[in-house]
Amino acid sequence: MSKEFLYTEITNGIASQIRGGALKAGDKLPSVRTLCQEHQISMNTAKRVFLELESQSLVESKPQSGYFVSKLLSVKLPLSEVSRPSLIANNNEPDELISKVYENMGKKDITFFSIGIPSGDLLPQAKLKKEIINATRELKEGGTEFEELQGNLKLRRIIALRSLPWGGNFNENDLVTTNGGMNALSFCLMALGKPGDTIAIESPCYPGILQLANGLGLRVLELPTHPTTGIEIDALKKAIPKINICLLIPNFNAPLGSCMSDENKKEVVRLLAENNIPLIEDDVYGDLYFGPNRPKCCKSFDKEGNVLYCSSISKTLAPGYRVGWIAPGKYKDKILKLKLLHATSSITIVNEAVANFLKTGRYEKHLHQLRRTLQNNYQNYVQTIAAYFPEGTKTSRPQGGLSLWVEFDKSIQTRALYNLAIKQNISIAPGRMFTLQDQFENCMRLCIGLPWSEDIQLKLKQLGNLAKMR
């Protein structure tokens, strides 16, 4: 029997026992060593079995204790609805609501479920400080000089190397560094669009993208989006005659956490290239997967340079460092001209420090721990929501990323819920922020990037009680 077949057989056997009820939520599973002895397999194969079961949310690990059947299995929350936006471009931006939510950023006494970044407590701050100091010592003139226009060569080489497992196959000349992910998206939209052009996006969509598109005078067409599998391909096909640009977050988009299948990614790339419509791919959440492997990107299937791939470390390592990049394909010259005009250079010291950190194994170790924390957080959030939120509450099923989408009964308005919650120092992101249309008033996005604690659980319980009052 082949190792691969044996691994699959063991994994499916345990999964069947769990799904069939022979193993109950909270039951302890055999140790890695016991699994090795029982099935005559290696430690690596046994660990792989548990990682696969963990990726399916069937088991959860507890440090120094082992693996247990996930308590999430006993939670029966319905899945959020597929969005059904109007297929007419709209630009009704909720400026006042967005400003209200973000005006409190930085206040220490507020619990920010509204800000979609990992808490500083989950980031390797001390190690990053050391890299900044080292970069200052190592760089010519202490890092006060400009970098080359395309960006830090060491950083571009590391990014290119890290793209190989998911099929990016970049080299350093394919990449241009930027001052964060939004700066990358901004360059792409300026290079490709002009006022009056129409851009297709997911619905719901990250508010910063909506604001950016509006600010550049673009008309926004929102596509129906499934909370698990992403945009509906048939809807995109129907929209083709109406659009000039498409911008998607295929891997764990904010706020749903959905992930498009490889088949759908490939079809999107083919469809847009065939119609000469550029695709901007935002992959800032791609490294935050809950499964055993990083998902591929649309760029993995791009043969014509029609996909402008954008990413950053803002969601994984250091939001405030503002380090991002673009693999702009055939649009590279346009992007470089815009960078020369708007930025001239990325931040020399910070880019060197990040390059040095990514070069070590410390980054992969950090990502492994961060992914595990976020997945555990998601499970804790759902259990708490099931216990304390109004009956009938629905949630998304994020397969990675930092977001959990919560959908209430239509009678509960999350704008009003925000006003009640902020009085108790709890900040949420009402669903209306994630659209330019009159929808999602009964929804909200919760960030799962806060360290789990009794206080966080208490705040979620308070939020649920407030929602029951509406």
Side-chain angles (χ1 to χ4, degrees):
M1 186 180 295
S2 71
K3 289 182 179 179
E4 189 65 27
F5 183 82
L6 187 57
Y7 151 75
T8 303
E9 186 180 68
I10 296 168
T11 304
N12 291 343
I14 297 174
S16 295
Q17 286 183 295
I18 294 173
R19 292 192 174 106
L23 291 170
K24 309 291 186 184
D27 284 354
K28 186 172 183 178
L29 295 171
S31 67
V32 171
R33 190 175 298 279
T34 300
L35 206 64
C36 291
Q37 294 169 348
E38 287 181 351
H39 297 278
Q40 298 299 298
I41 56 177
S42 68
M43 292 286 283
N44 284 339
T45 301
K47 288 177 181 177
R48 189 178 166 201
V49 167
F50 284 120
L51 284 173
E52 176 58 29
L53 293 169
E54 200 171 13
S55 75
Q56 297 176 32
S57 296
L58 295 175
V59 308
E60 55 192 9
S61 63
K62 297 181 180 179
Q64 279 77 54
S65 297
Y67 288 91
F68 296 79
V69 178
S70 175
K71 293 178 182 177
L72 192 62
L73 293 171
S74 61
V75 175
K76 303 295 182 184
L77 285 173
L79 182 65
S80 303
E81 299 288 336
V82 177
S83 67
R84 296 295 176 195
S86 165
L87 294 182
I88 298 173
N90 201 314
N91 290 74
N92 184 16
E93 185 179 330
D95 288 321
E96 184 179 342
L97 179 60
I98 293 172
S99 297
K100 181 188 291 187
V101 171
Y102 283 99
E103 69 184 1
N104 291 311
M105 266 204 326
K107 293 185 178 178
K108 302 300 182 185
D109 56 342
I110 295 177
T111 300
F112 285 102
F113 292 121
S114 54
I115 309 300
I117 57 174
S119 164
D121 294 332
L122 303 181
L123 303 175
Q125 298 180 51
K127 292 172 182 175
L128 287 171
K129 287 177 185 178
K130 289 180 181 178
E131 293 295 0
I132 290 286
I133 294 169
N134 291 337
T136 307
R137 291 170 178 165
E138 294 170 8
L139 285 168
K140 182 183 177 183
E141 299 178 13
T144 57
E145 74 287 352
F146 283 144
E147 290 184 333
E148 59 180 285
L149 179 61
Q150 202 163 330
N152 183 289
L153 179 60
K154 187 190 301 182
L155 178 59
R156 287 186 283 123
R157 283 177 175 166
I158 302 283
I159 294 166
L161 187 63
R162 295 192 76 255
S163 78
L164 296 177
W166 57 262
N169 299 320
F170 302 141
N171 64 54
E172 62 265 27
N173 292 322
D174 295 326
L175 296 156
V176 179
T177 64
T178 62
N179 295 322
M182 286 306 297
N183 186 227
L185 296 178
S186 178
F187 284 162
C188 291
L189 288 176
M190 286 190 287
L192 300 173
K194 61 184 184 300
D197 282 351
T198 299
I199 178 172
I201 62 168
E202 293 135 326
S203 182
C205 181
Y206 175 61
I209 291 174
L210 299 174
Q211 290 178 300
L212 178 58
N214 255 358
L216 294 173
L218 301 174
R219 301 174 74 242
V220 176
L221 190 151
E222 299 182 37
L223 297 172
T225 305
H226 190 281
T228 302
T229 58
I231 62 160
E232 294 190 344
I233 302 298
D234 286 344
L236 177 61
K237 289 178 180 176
K238 292 176 183 176
I240 287 293
K242 306 176 185 178
I243 64 175
N244 307 97
I245 309 166
C246 186
L247 192 161
L248 300 175
I249 309 176
N251 293 329
F252 323 125
N253 76 324
L256 294 175
S258 62
C259 185
M260 291 173 60
S261 67
D262 287 353
E263 181 183 352
N264 282 0
K265 289 170 184 171
K266 190 174 183 178
E267 176 61 12
V268 166
V269 171
R270 184 201 65 76
L271 182 64
L272 294 175
E274 192 176 85
N275 289 277
N276 200 31
I277 297 170
L279 170 63
I280 302 170
E281 179 177 24
D282 185 356
D283 191 46
V284 290
Y285 305 102
D287 282 335
L288 299 179
Y289 54 92
F290 296 162
N293 299 305
R294 192 196 196 284
K296 288 188 176 183
C297 301
C298 288
K299 189 67 176 176
S300 309
F301 305 102
D302 180 28
K303 307 300 181 186
E304 302 179 28
N306 194 53
V307 177
L308 297 89
Y309 172 87
C310 302
S311 193
S312 78
I313 60 162
S314 297
K315 307 299 183 181
T316 59
L317 185 63
Y321 278 18
R322 314 313 302 141
V323 174
W325 53 88
I326 311 171
K330 62 186 179 183
Y331 305 99
K332 179 181 171 182
D333 288 344
K334 287 186 177 182
I335 296 296
L336 285 173
K337 286 179 182 177
L338 283 166
K339 183 176 179 183
L340 179 62
L341 177 63
H342 290 274
T344 306
S345 171
S346 299
I347 303 171
T348 307
I349 290 175
V350 172
N351 278 258
E352 178 75 9
V354 170
N356 288 336
F357 189 84
L358 265 58
K359 214 169 79 170
T360 69
R362 292 195 296 267
Y363 185 51
E364 293 305 325
K365 185 177 179 181
H366 159 67
L367 283 177
H368 178 75
Q369 181 58 49
L370 180 59
R371 287 193 292 263
R372 175 170 290 189
T373 298
L374 294 177
Q375 186 173 16
N376 287 339
N377 282 359
Y378 159 57
Q379 293 174 346
N380 287 326
Y381 274 52
V382 170
Q383 289 176 45
T384 305
I385 288 169
Y388 299 110
F389 276 43
E391 187 175 348
T393 298
K394 301 175 182 179
T395 65
S396 59
R397 304 280 193 276
Q399 300 158 65
L402 288 156
S403 296
L404 179 65
W405 186 245
V406 179
E407 182 179 339
F408 295 112
D409 181 81
K410 296 287 185 183
S411 63
I412 298 176
Q413 302 291 296
T414 50
R415 291 193 204 217
L417 181 59
Y418 173 85
N419 292 331
L420 289 175
I422 199 66
K423 291 177 181 177
Q424 297 192 26
N425 291 328
I426 303 170
S427 179
I428 62 170
R432 183 60 178 83
M433 291 173 56
F434 299 87
T435 179
L436 297 180
Q437 301 184 17
D438 293 326
Q439 55 178 345
F440 308 137
E441 290 285 3
N442 61 318
C443 302
M444 66 178 177
R445 191 276 305 273
L446 298 176
C447 173
I448 59 173
L450 304 173
W452 184 254
S453 64
E454 289 184 7
D455 184 61
I456 293 297
Q457 186 177 35
L458 177 61
K459 296 294 185 182
L460 284 173
K461 181 179 178 180
Q462 287 178 271
L463 195 55
N465 290 333
L466 290 173
K468 289 176 181 177
M469 294 167 53
R470 301 306 304 151

